[in-house]
Amino acid sequence: MRIASAGVSGWSQAAMESGDFKKWRKSLGLSQKDAANLLGLKRRMIQYYEKGERDGEKVKIPRSVRLACYAIAQGVEDYNGPNRKLHMRDKTDKEIKIEAKEAEPA
């Protein structure tokens, strides 16, 4: 298993930007409230991450939130530790249609 760490060659050090966070949420068809519930955050934090600032100060999206976004995008609903079954969410009709379209020959 390869794990990204600071300073390791070949790994991007670019953090998720506010626009990327909003694109992630919208690509999954989530409201701010739904995203907050899935990430275990308050809706207000979702708004700060999407705006990129809080009270005039730049807001960074923590690595834990970025990793959770990736897991959710992959369909992971919950993780209870090693050697336990992953809880995967059911795909929506929209996601199934997108996958089918991507699988079509060009």
Side-chain angles (χ1 to χ4, degrees):
M1 173 192 276
R2 286 182 60 182
I3 298 176
S5 63
V8 175
S9 178
W11 291 94
S12 173
Q13 297 298 314
M16 179 184 255
E17 299 291 332
S18 60
D20 299 325
F21 185 85
K22 189 170 188 174
K23 284 179 191 174
W24 164 81
R25 178 179 64 79
K26 289 193 172 267
S27 74
L28 295 177
L30 299 173
S31 66
Q32 288 180 338
K33 181 180 179 181
D34 292 337
N37 288 335
L38 284 170
L39 292 168
L41 301 170
K42 300 281 187 192
R43 188 172 67 85
R44 190 70 185 134
M45 286 308 301
I46 301 302
Q47 293 170 337
Y48 292 145
Y49 291 155
E50 289 187 359
K51 188 176 180 183
E53 66 177 56
R54 176 182 180 180
D55 300 327
E57 300 286 325
K58 184 171 170 77
V59 172
K60 288 187 179 182
I61 300 168
R63 179 178 290 189
S64 58
V65 172
R66 297 191 315 261
L67 289 170
C69 289
Y70 176 76
I72 291 166
Q74 296 303 308
V76 176
E77 187 176 278
D78 199 2
Y79 178 71
N80 295 314
N83 303 322
R84 293 192 181 184
K85 186 177 178 183
L86 283 177
H87 296 277
M88 304 294 282
R89 68 178 169 81
D90 293 328
K91 294 182 180 180
T92 64
D93 289 339
K94 180 181 174 184
E95 291 171 316
I96 293 169
K97 288 177 187 175
I98 290 171
E99 286 179 358
K101 185 173 182 171
E102 290 174 349
E104 291 176 0

